[in-house]
């Protein structure tokens, strides 16, 4: 039985597997490591709940009254550990002041990315920082629903499609649910990420810590820092194999090519956060060497939360201008099939070299010129 309208539209949000009353749906990885629902027909009772919550059938676009702001966390240690300006940490702190719970992405002991629920400041430390791989939501939607039914305040942070998935699963409005997503470039392959880590482990030893946004050279010039037991790997994001491929849309999930949020249903979050790229042009008077965040409110609830953070107003057009991923999907590489073919046969480094070799770049430019 196929749940989604089309596999290329499925985001892996887990709304279907969480809603199933018979536990008939499990999320299974494909050959690229992306999770897709699989139905055990011996348990399925054809109730239709899975299709009812599936994002691939959603066509109604939400029209939001958006306002943009910028924010720099006043705590220098928190700012340094955050990917941008520390907006997530400040929002989480405010939730804890209301005796609430925070759900976000963390690395587990195997360096897989999963979603967990935190109850205090010390637990959100692992949620700080970008994790450039799709998280496994497991059964966290159910955990959030139980907390909300008991009248608890809950902050959920995730990708835009995960936020929509949670909303679809819940099926009703909860005043005490705060939804925060981020400006998403795309969701890269967990399979590629695991292969990348194995390559580093072979050279540097057992991994102890991962940071995709190390600010030793500043926020704009961030590096990938992976602390291992033998040696520390540190490389600028423009040179690191995994991050360069991710930013280039080299191994994105199929649905990211036509993002369902940006292209079809709109943002369902209360707040969207991200990097305020172009800050040197927009706010040249500020010191943002260690990072600055943009926060866009979509709801009254989100606007009130941003006011509590004492964020400063910003023109929304500046976000559109300097961070195009807010509105548009990242165009994938045209030779993706060739990349994956080489990866399966010869490994990640060979596939990476094929894409980023001077001869390949020259071929792409020549093809573009012929089309003109």
């Amino acid at each position: 039985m196929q749940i989604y309208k089309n596999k290329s539209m499925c985001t892996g949000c887990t709304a279907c597997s969480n809603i199933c009353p018979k536990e008939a749906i499990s999320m299974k990885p494909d050959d690229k490591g992306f999770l897709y629902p699989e139905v055990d027909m011996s348990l399925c009772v054809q109730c239709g709940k899975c299709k009812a919550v599936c994002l691939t059938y959603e066509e109604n676009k939400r029209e939001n009254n958006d306002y943009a702001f910028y924010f720099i966390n006043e705590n220098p240690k928190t700012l340094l550990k955050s990917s941008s300006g520390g907006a997530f940490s400040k929002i989480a702190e405010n939730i804890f002041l209301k005796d609430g719970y925070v759900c976000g992405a963390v690395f587990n002991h195997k360096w897989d990315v999963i979603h967990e629920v935190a109850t205090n400041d010390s637990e959100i430390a692992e949620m700080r920082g970008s994790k450039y791989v799709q998280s496994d939501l497991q059964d966290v939607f159910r955990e959030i629903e139980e907390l909300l039914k008991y009248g608890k305040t809950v902050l959920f942070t995730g990708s835009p499609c995960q936020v929509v998935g949670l909303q679809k699963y819940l099926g009703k409005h909860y005043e005490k649910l705060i939804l925060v997503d981020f400006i998403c470039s795309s969701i890269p392959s967990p399979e590629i990420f695991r292969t990348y880590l194995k390559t580093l482990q072979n050279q540097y030893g057992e991994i102890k810590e991962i940071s995709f946004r190390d600010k030793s050279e500043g926020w704009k010039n961030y590096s990938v820092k992976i602390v291992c037991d033998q040696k520390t790997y540190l490389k600028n994001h423009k040179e690191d194999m995994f991050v360069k491929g991710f930013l280039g849309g080299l191994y994105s999930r199929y649905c990211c090519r036509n993002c369902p949020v940006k292209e079809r249903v709109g943002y369902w979050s209360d707040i969207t956060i991200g990097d305020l790229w172009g800050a040197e042009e927009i706010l040249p008077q500020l010191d943002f060497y260690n990072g600055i965040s943009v926060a866009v409110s979509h709801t009254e609830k989100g606007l009130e939360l941003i006011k509590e953070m004492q964020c400063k107003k910003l023109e929304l057009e500046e976000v559109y201008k300097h961070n195009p991923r807010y509105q548009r999907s990242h165009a994938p590489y045209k030779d993706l099939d060739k990349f994956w073919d080489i990866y399966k046969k010869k490994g990640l480094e060979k596939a990476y070299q094929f894409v980023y070799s001077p001869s390949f770049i020259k071929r792409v430019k020549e093809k573009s010129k012929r089309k003109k």
Side-chain angles (χ1 to χ4, degrees):
M1 173 184 167
Q2 179 176 297
I3 297 171
Y4 39 71
K5 194 174 184 179
N6 188 296
K7 183 179 179 180
S8 65
M9 298 171 70
C10 176
T11 65
C13 73
T14 76
C16 59
S17 61
N18 277 283
I19 202 71
C20 180
K22 296 297 182 180
E23 307 283 348
I25 304 171
S26 55
M27 302 299 292
K28 300 290 187 181
D30 67 357
D31 62 340
K32 298 176 177 63
F34 295 117
L35 297 175
Y36 290 91
E38 189 174 288
V39 182
D40 183 343
M41 293 307 296
S42 67
L43 299 175
C44 178
V45 294
Q46 301 286 336
C47 67
K49 289 186 176 181
C50 53
K51 288 192 175 184
V53 299
C54 182
L55 172 55
T56 65
Y57 298 97
E58 181 65 54
E59 296 295 339
N60 295 322
K61 185 166 187 177
R62 292 201 177 179
E63 298 297 336
N64 301 312
N65 193 14
D66 296 344
Y67 296 96
F69 301 82
Y70 67 89
F71 176 80
I72 301 176
N73 201 296
E74 69 277 7
N75 186 317
K77 290 183 179 179
T78 299
L79 179 61
L80 201 59
K81 288 292 184 181
S82 303
S83 293
S84 307
F88 159 72
S89 295
K90 189 63 177 179
I91 296 171
E93 287 171 17
N94 288 346
I95 296 300
F96 288 137
L97 290 174
K98 300 172 184 177
D99 296 320
Y101 295 77
V102 176
C103 181
V106 301
F107 286 113
N108 66 11
H109 68 285
K110 295 180 180 179
W111 299 109
D112 297 318
V113 180
I114 61 172
H115 260 70
E116 287 189 344
V117 176
T119 57
N120 57 64
D121 283 341
S122 62
E123 291 179 336
I124 69 164
E126 294 183 12
M127 295 180 183
R128 291 192 191 101
S130 298
K131 297 164 184 72
Y132 294 143
V133 66
Q134 185 166 29
S135 63
D136 186 348
L137 289 162
Q138 304 176 101
D139 59 355
V140 79
F141 285 4
R142 296 177 184 177
E143 189 175 353
I144 290 171
E145 184 178 33
E146 284 301 305
L147 290 169
L148 292 170
K149 285 180 177 178
Y150 280 104
K152 303 297 184 182
T153 298
V154 180
L155 165 65
F156 175 80
T157 61
S159 65
C161 55
Q162 289 175 333
V163 165
V164 175
L166 175 58
Q167 290 252 54
K168 294 283 289 181
Y169 165 79
L170 293 172
K172 62 180 287 189
H173 174 77
Y174 285 94
E175 189 57 36
K176 290 192 174 183
L177 174 63
I178 311 296
L179 298 166
V180 175
D181 56 21
F182 51 84
I183 300 175
C184 183
S185 178
S186 68
I187 300 296
S189 161
E191 165 68 17
I192 295 294
F193 181 59
R194 282 190 284 269
T195 302
Y196 165 77
L197 291 186
K198 286 178 184 176
T199 302
L200 292 179
Q201 283 179 316
N202 291 337
Q203 298 178 51
Y204 297 91
E206 185 181 350
I207 294 172
K208 301 295 183 182
E209 183 182 336
I210 297 175
S211 173
F212 281 118
R213 299 292 290 270
D214 179 78
K215 297 178 179 178
S216 300
E217 299 296 327
W219 160 64
K220 290 192 67 177
N221 199 36
Y222 66 90
S223 298
V224 178
K225 183 178 181 180
I226 300 181
V227 179
C228 302
D229 60 1
Q230 296 177 20
K231 191 178 178 181
T232 295
Y233 171 88
L234 183 67
K235 188 163 287 192
N236 186 276
H237 70 279
K238 296 176 182 178
E239 300 172 355
D240 175 77
M241 177 168 60
F242 180 77
V243 173
K244 186 175 180 179
F246 156 61
L247 293 176
L250 188 54
Y251 21 78
S252 302
R253 192 179 177 105
Y254 285 120
C255 62
C256 298
R257 303 175 191 187
N258 293 288
C259 173
V261 172
K262 299 166 191 173
E263 309 289 342
R264 202 169 76 247
V265 303
Y267 285 95
W268 286 28
S269 58
D270 296 299
I271 302 172
T272 297
I273 59 177
D275 296 285
L276 183 56
W277 300 127
E280 68 280 0
E281 180 181 322
I282 306 165
L283 302 162
Q285 74 279 14
L286 292 184
D287 175 12
F288 44 80
Y289 182 79
N290 282 328
I292 182 170
S293 293
V294 61
V296 180
S297 66
H298 305 298
T299 65
E300 285 297 321
K301 192 192 303 184
L303 187 58
E304 286 302 312
L305 195 58
I306 283 178
K307 286 179 179 178
E308 290 177 14
M309 296 166 61
Q310 298 182 333
C311 297
K312 302 293 192 302
K313 195 79 169 64
L314 187 70
E315 291 298 324
L316 191 60
E317 289 300 323
E318 297 290 1
V319 182
Y320 299 156
K321 177 181 176 181
H322 296 284
N323 203 326
R325 293 298 147 266
Y326 180 81
Q327 291 182 299
R328 298 189 299 277
S329 303
H330 197 298
Y333 270 94
K334 295 179 180 179
D335 280 358
L336 281 181
D337 290 340
K338 183 66 176 176
F339 166 83
W340 281 106
D341 183 57
I342 296 174
Y343 168 73
K344 294 295 182 184
K345 293 177 179 177
K346 299 182 179 180
L348 180 58
E349 291 187 64
K350 291 291 185 182
Y352 179 86
Q353 289 167 9
F354 164 76
V355 172
Y356 289 106
S357 66
S359 59
F360 174 79
I361 296 172
K362 184 179 178 181
R363 289 200 307 273
V364 171
K365 288 181 177 178
E366 288 175 349
K367 189 183 292 184
S368 178
K369 287 179 180 178
R370 286 198 296 270
K371 285 186 178 181
K372 292 179 182 179

